[in-house]
Amino acid sequence: MSAPVPGAGGPLLDLADVYKIYGKGDAEVRALDGLNVSIRSGELVALMGASGSGKSTAMNILGCLDTPTRGRYSFRGVDVGTLDRDQLALLRRHYIGFVFQSFNLLARTTALENVELPLLYRGEKRKRRVEKAMHVLDLVGLADRGGHTPAQLSGGQQQRVAIARALVTDPSIVLADEPTGNLDSKRSAEIMELLARLNEERGITIVVITHEPEHANYLRRCIWMRDGVVERDGAPSEVLS
């Protein structure tokens, strides 16, 4: 089965009146309660809000890791709700890069091998895998650390490897879920600076899910969620004031 081919024009991602409901009756919980969000190519956006606001649920739907109870999610004009499980897996593999708080690196493999992994799943030949992996390791400032295992890298370096792994497939978008959650303030700033630079210099679309208001200095747009809907959306200086 071939990967779905997103169309051109319009928003990259669009959530239209999206609900995510768990349980029934008195036990019903609306994690998303009619969410409307559009993100265009080249944006650097934060989804923010208090715990329970729905931002992580929104990210899971944007990353095709979960499906709405109702409403429409479109990826470059393709209705994601019409795709079967195999097509969703191909969409994630070809168009979406993920960065998580816990790095999710394989402990017994080198940084280079960790970055190569998505290309291995795609069946690319070793020479091409190594070339692309070394290129993105260079982008994140770790060209000289390709032979190191995660245990030989700092937390900040491990997250850079994870970002390189997200970039190696040339995705349409990178979803970063609390990417600095396991880092100290200095390393957190370095990771946010890196994401901002990748967006500015490479035009990579990045959505950061975070509860850290200090990250606003690196962002162009902030979407503040509350009770499963967008409460405020705009420049960080306006949304967080």
Side-chain angles (χ1 to χ4, degrees):
M1 182 175 294
S2 61
V5 180
L12 174 62
L13 310 176
D14 186 61
L15 297 175
D17 203 28
V18 166
Y19 290 78
K20 185 64 183 181
I21 302 171
Y22 299 97
K24 294 182 179 180
D26 292 340
E28 179 180 290
V29 175
R30 296 194 172 201
L32 299 178
D33 197 19
L35 180 64
N36 292 283
V37 170
S38 289
I39 296 169
R40 304 190 71 85
S41 292
E43 285 200 276
L44 175 58
V45 185
L47 279 178
M48 302 185 74
S51 179
S53 62
K55 59 185 186 296
S56 293
T57 302
M59 192 219 72
N60 287 337
I61 290 174
L62 290 173
C64 301
L65 301 172
D66 201 355
T67 56
T69 304
R70 65 176 185 267
R72 178 185 172 98
Y73 171 32
S74 299
F75 189 102
R76 284 201 189 277
V78 174
D79 184 351
V80 175
T82 65
L83 305 180
D84 62 28
R85 181 177 298 180
D86 290 338
Q87 289 174 318
L88 288 171
L90 288 168
L91 178 58
R92 290 192 298 269
R93 190 177 302 168
H94 287 268
Y95 295 102
I96 304 172
F98 295 93
V99 178
F100 298 102
Q101 176 177 336
S102 57
F103 315 144
N104 290 351
L105 301 179
L106 299 180
R108 296 178 181 174
T109 58
T110 65
L112 179 65
E113 290 166 337
N114 269 285
V115 175
E116 282 185 65
L117 200 57
L119 302 178
L120 181 64
Y121 291 149
R122 280 172 41 165
E124 296 202 22
K125 295 187 180 299
R126 175 162 166 66
K127 181 180 178 181
R128 179 62 174 159
R129 295 200 310 265
V130 171
E131 288 175 349
K132 294 191 73 173
M134 285 302 300
H135 172 67
V136 292
L137 280 172
D138 185 47
L139 282 183
V140 302
L142 290 179
D144 60 342
R145 295 290 191 272
H148 291 60
T149 64
Q152 297 171 314
L153 301 171
S154 69
Q157 289 172 330
Q158 289 184 59
Q159 191 61 295
R160 287 173 181 266
V161 173
I163 292 169
R165 183 182 56 194
L167 297 176
V168 76
T169 57
D170 297 317
S172 296
I173 188 167
V174 171
L175 300 175
D177 188 9
E178 301 284 0
T180 66
N182 284 339
L183 303 176
D184 60 32
S185 58
K186 181 179 179 181
R187 301 299 180 268
S188 294
E190 290 174 355
I191 291 300
M192 290 306 298
E193 287 170 3
L194 173 61
L195 293 174
R197 178 171 61 80
L198 291 168
N199 171 261
E200 178 70 26
E201 297 179 0
R202 302 280 169 172
I204 299 167
T205 309
I206 301 174
V207 177
V208 180
I209 291 78
T210 182
H211 65 279
E212 302 287 351
E214 58 266 31
H215 290 169
N217 295 329
Y218 305 96
L219 305 168
R220 298 180 181 177
R221 178 184 173 198
C222 179
I223 299 170
W224 186 270
M225 294 184 61
R226 181 184 177 91
D227 297 332
V229 297
V230 174
E231 186 176 70
R232 302 186 296 278
D233 182 352
S237 60
E238 299 171 354
V239 171
L240 300 178
S241 61

